Amino acid sequence: MKIEKVAVLGAGAVGSYVIWGLSQKEEIRLGVIAEGERAERLKKGCRINGVTYNPEVWTPQEAQGVDLLVACLVLLPLWLFERRSQWCFSSRGILSGSFRSGGIPLR
């Protein structure tokens, strides 16, 4: 499977490192998942080591169909536990689930 569309969930310290690394890959369409005020701030760019990066900013619904979801959340285990009814492991061992009612089906 060729990875062409990547979404980053959590643009903090670790997420910024992922954005920095993947921004250099021209063959990858890179986006950050955010809503509301956080999305508006991210649309102005992410400043990393003095350089401003401008990944696309997607709502959970717009991120549907990504080839790779990189979850960079400090509280990821708690976040997943709270949404356990929405998540499952596929037969291929890849985490699948939905964000709110829109859903992000991962392949």
Side-chain angles (χ1 to χ4, degrees):
M1 176 179 162
K2 185 174 180 181
I3 296 175
E4 296 175 340
K5 185 176 179 183
V6 178
V8 176
L9 179 60
V14 175
S16 293
Y17 183 75
V18 172
I19 292 166
W20 168 81
L22 292 179
S23 290
Q24 300 172 32
K25 302 292 183 186
E26 293 179 14
E27 67 275 12
I28 291 179
R29 183 174 171 206
L30 178 63
V32 177
I33 300 173
E35 293 181 299
E37 184 181 315
R38 179 80 169 150
E40 293 307 312
R41 286 195 318 264
L42 287 168
K43 287 178 183 177
K44 296 175 184 173
C46 302
R47 193 153 180 84
I48 305 166
N49 295 328
V51 178
T52 301
Y53 296 87
N54 292 289
E56 296 180 49
V57 179
W58 301 322
T59 63
Q61 294 77 20
E62 292 170 329
Q64 285 188 311
V66 297
D67 298 313
L68 177 64
L69 171 64
V70 182
C72 303
L73 303 172
V74 173
L75 298 175
L76 181 61
L78 176 61
W79 187 86
L80 288 173
F81 178 77
E82 289 174 348
R83 291 155 181 82
R84 64 190 174 277
S85 63
Q86 300 172 15
W87 291 84
C88 66
F89 284 91
S90 73
S91 60
R92 296 183 350 207
I94 298 173
L95 188 61
S96 304
S98 65
F99 287 85
R100 301 194 183 162
S101 61
I104 296 182
L106 302 177
R107 296 180 216 162

